[in-house]
């Protein structure tokens, strides 16, 4: 397995492996936290309140809230599943009305419908931008899929 993505959190440096583990190490390289998130991790994105991972093979975006030490809380994770692989996800702490404590996630991927292999070819292979909002209390509260 190899490292596929890196992100900085207050608790240290987060690294994702293709096998699906996210590990946080401190400045001396000592492991402080580990959690299995999803196979084929392709990106990590950190905000002040959360670490977000995108899994290409499991077709998932996983939002891990950060605890008081700046380490992800695996038990409080929220996720969204997609019908096709993801290429990348970025996150930001939400602002404005209704944004307090929420994380906005923007992901790119393909296939918002199941892949159609009928008639000897492939259909439903389209690129999409996905916009999601997660709250600590409610998980995924909003999703918008936009074809590119």
């Amino acid at each position: 397995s190899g490292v596929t993505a890196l992100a900085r959190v207050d608790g240290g440096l987060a690294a994702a492996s293709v096998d699906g583990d996210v590990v946080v190490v401190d400045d001396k390289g000592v492991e402080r936290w580990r959690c299995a998130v999803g196979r084929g991790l392709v990106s990590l994105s950190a905000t002040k309140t959360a670490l977000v991972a995108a899994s290409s093979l499991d077709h998932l975006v996983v939002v891990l809230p950060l605890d008081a030490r700046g380490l992800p809380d695996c038990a409080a994770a929220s996720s969204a599943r997609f019908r096709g692989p993801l290429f990348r996800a970025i996150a930001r702490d939400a602002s404005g009305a209704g944004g307090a404590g929420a994380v906005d996630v923007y992901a790119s991927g393909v296939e918002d419908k199941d892949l159609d292999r009928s008639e000897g070819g492939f259909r439903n292979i389209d690129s999409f931008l996905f916009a999601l909002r997660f709250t600590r209390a409610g998980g995924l509260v909003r999703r918008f899929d936009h074809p590119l």
Side-chain angles (χ1 to χ4, degrees):
S1 78
V3 173
T4 58
L6 298 169
R8 185 68 146 148
V9 293
D10 285 344
L13 179 67
S17 77
V18 73
D19 295 336
D21 284 343
V22 176
V23 177
V24 175
V25 296
D26 67 16
D27 292 336
K28 294 182 172 74
V30 176
E31 184 176 312
R32 298 191 60 205
W33 176 90
R34 177 183 292 263
C35 184
V37 175
R39 299 170 305 130
L41 295 175
V42 292
S43 69
L44 289 176
S45 182
T47 73
K48 291 182 182 202
T49 63
L51 179 66
V52 175
S55 166
S56 183
L57 295 178
D58 289 333
H59 308 170
L60 287 173
V61 164
V62 180
V63 177
L64 302 151
L66 299 179
D67 66 17
R69 300 168 297 158
L71 296 174
D73 182 353
C74 202
S78 297
S79 65
R81 185 169 297 279
F82 301 84
R83 289 190 175 166
L86 298 173
F87 302 133
R88 183 166 164 86
I90 59 172
R92 69 180 180 115
D93 289 320
S95 60
V103 175
D104 289 331
V105 178
Y106 306 94
S108 62
V110 295
E111 304 166 20
D112 74 326
K113 295 182 239 178
D114 292 331
L115 187 61
D116 180 355
R117 293 186 175 127
S118 65
E119 301 175 19
F122 293 98
R123 290 189 296 180
N124 298 338
I125 303 175
D126 294 317
S127 297
F128 280 81
L129 170 65
F130 305 103
L132 311 113
R133 176 164 284 182
F134 292 85
T135 64
R136 189 179 282 261
L140 178 63
V141 294
R142 184 179 70 205
R143 178 174 169 166
F144 173 75
D145 301 356
H146 180 73
L148 298 175

